[in-house]
Amino acid sequence: MEDKDFSQVIEDIGAVISAHHSFLLMSHVRPDGDAIGSQIALGFSLMAMGKEVYLVNEDGVPESLEFLKGSEKVTLPPKEAIEVDVAIALDTATKPRLGDKSLHAASKAKVWLNIDHHISNPAYGDVNLINARKPATGQIVYELLIALGYPIPDETRDAIYVAVSTDTGSFQYASTTAETYVLGADLIRRGLNVGKINADTYDNHPYRRLELMRALLNTLQISEDGQLAYWELLDKTRMDLDLQPDDSEGLIDMIRSVKGVRVAVFFEELPDGKIRVSMRSKDSGVNVCDVAMTFGGGGHALAAGIRMAGPLVDAKPRVLSALRSALASQNNF
Ligand code: 5GP
Ligand code: MN
């Protein structure tokens, strides 16, 4: 999106917000820090303006994000559709990824806003603020609030930081820009307690997460050329360790960090029999979003995911072979 479009879209979003009173904010299933953080950030700013705001997520707030002030306002979708003027989808590449119950809750909304940073987003809103160059939806929300002069209460400030920090691997990934650090500096000037929020985000894991890491390491495999590394989480392990869905968040970074590895993959058997695939590329020449899309998934060039039919013994070789081809075609250049 060019900057001229950006200011026009910001203006359009400002007009929709001014003209309406009630808002339902949603984000993707199995939400991460950017999803929940963006909801809380925009939600509390709108509340501070006197708007009626509902925050809903198909899977609720993961235990690891419950420390966020305002997270208690994010609820599971109610059975009945909510009487709201505007539905806002945040950090959600495709409409179905909001979840069926959330979509039903939003079915009475007259206007849809779609705010996201996924390149695969097909622009399903009435107004679409999508910029794949932004490292996090939280950064887009921040820029929107600043541009429109909206309030930034403490809940919003902290949630923006967590959204951006978690989606940039603590301000490390290549997607991080000068604007990202300006955002961090501005939030600290606004009173953010940076030591505490990082400790809450990164040094606060349940013991079972380490047990999960041990189980995953026992399944670790690497291709002969050392470029493709992967591990898997079986449903049995999930039950044995009594895992929560977010316990595996970020663990794929361990295999990505290995010298020589260009693509890291995490296979996970879901309780419904489907397979979740998480992929990370360390190499701008290998676009894992393209590979994900051939299986009906999506995401970003360097971080993408798929939810596909099981069993694992069928899904795994299909994905690995597609990744081997992607790596091989890159090696030929
Ligand atoms: P993760 O591996 O952390 O779950 O996801 C990495 C990225 O891929 C995220 O931006 C996420 O939104 C996207 N992603 C993960 N799973 C899916 C999926 O099943 N479908 C689509 N469209 N995107 C996904
Ligand atoms: Mn995101």
Side-chain angles (χ1 to χ4, degrees):
M1 185 186 295
E2 298 305 321
D3 287 348
K4 191 163 141 272
D5 293 343
F6 179 75
S7 49
Q8 182 58 54
V9 176
I10 296 272
E11 218 175 280
D12 294 347
I13 290 182
V16 170
I17 291 174
S18 298
H20 296 93
H21 176 64
S22 54
F23 299 81
L24 168 57
L25 279 62
M26 296 164 289
S27 63
H28 60 81
V29 294
R30 285 184 68 136
D32 56 10
D34 193 26
I36 295 292
S38 296
Q39 282 186 269
I40 295 173
L42 182 56
F44 275 78
S45 181
L46 294 175
M47 283 180 225
M49 293 164 66
K51 305 286 187 184
E52 185 182 334
V53 176
Y54 300 87
L55 302 176
V56 160
N57 183 281
E58 193 81 358
D59 295 319
V61 176
E63 194 183 313
S64 57
L65 293 168
E66 282 173 356
F67 72 87
L68 270 176
K69 285 195 283 278
S71 62
E72 67 285 350
K73 293 263 185 209
V74 183
T75 65
L76 296 170
K79 289 214 169 60
E80 303 298 320
I82 308 176
E83 297 285 346
V84 282
D85 303 325
V86 182
I88 308 181
L90 291 152
D91 197 42
T92 307
T94 64
K95 212 169 170 178
R97 271 182 59 77
L98 291 168
D100 289 341
K101 298 186 199 90
S102 294
L103 284 168
H104 176 65
S107 57
K108 291 191 171 170
K110 298 181 280 267
V111 185
W112 273 76
L113 305 182
N114 174 7
I115 302 176
D116 188 27
H117 70 133
H118 291 94
I119 196 155
S120 53
N121 192 309
Y124 54 84
D126 298 306
V127 184
N128 301 283
L129 181 57
I130 301 162
N131 189 338
R133 280 181 288 115
K134 299 292 175 184
T137 301
Q139 171 121 29
I140 302 177
V141 169
Y142 168 81
E143 289 173 10
L144 175 76
L145 299 181
I146 296 291
L148 293 172
Y150 285 1
I152 301 192
D154 293 358
E155 292 87 348
T156 297
R157 176 196 66 203
D158 289 8
I160 291 171
Y161 184 88
V162 170
V164 174
S165 171
T166 52
D167 251 30
T168 56
S170 304
F171 299 81
Q172 288 181 50
Y173 299 157
S175 56
T176 309
T177 64
E179 281 71 38
T180 317
Y181 281 95
V182 169
L183 171 155
D186 182 43
L187 297 177
I188 292 170
R189 278 195 203 103
R190 289 172 187 268
L192 176 91
N193 185 337
V194 77
K196 176 161 193 322
I197 203 148
N198 282 311
D200 285 346
T201 310
Y202 300 111
D203 297 334
N204 201 19
H205 296 303
Y207 181 71
R208 60 172 190 271
R209 181 171 150 105
L210 243 69
E211 296 183 294
L212 165 61
M213 213 182 278
R214 174 165 53 197
L216 290 171
L217 283 166
N218 280 327
T219 74
L220 177 65
Q221 285 188 279
I222 193 158
S223 60
E224 231 163 70
D225 59 12
Q227 298 186 11
L228 182 60
Y230 46 96
W231 59 24
E232 64 197 37
L233 169 55
L234 303 179
D235 199 39
K236 183 183 182 316
T237 308
R238 178 202 324 285
M239 289 188 292
D240 290 349
L241 298 179
D242 198 17
L243 297 176
Q244 297 296 307
D246 61 320
D247 285 341
S248 58
E249 191 72 43
L251 292 182
I252 193 173
D253 291 348
M254 283 183 71
I255 37 178
R256 202 194 47 165
S257 70
V258 176
K259 185 175 178 182
V261 165
R262 295 167 71 203
V263 175
V265 198
F266 188 152
F267 294 97
E268 182 179 346
E269 277 181 341
L270 297 175
D272 65 4
K274 287 204 173 138
I275 305 300
R276 175 173 177 256
V277 187
S278 216
M279 299 182 287
R280 299 290 184 269
S281 169
K282 270 161 89 172
D283 181 333
S284 55
V286 183
N287 185 325
V288 285
C289 183
D290 286 349
V291 175
M293 286 173 83
T294 65
F295 294 97
H300 313 279
L302 302 183
I306 316 165
R307 228 171 237 250
M308 61 193 291
L312 187 61
V313 287
D314 294 339
K316 201 166 121 181
R318 289 177 64 207
V319 173
L320 290 177
S321 127
L323 287 168
R324 282 203 177 88
S325 304
L327 281 163
S329 62
Q330 175 64 14
N331 286 339
N332 293 336
F333 282 108

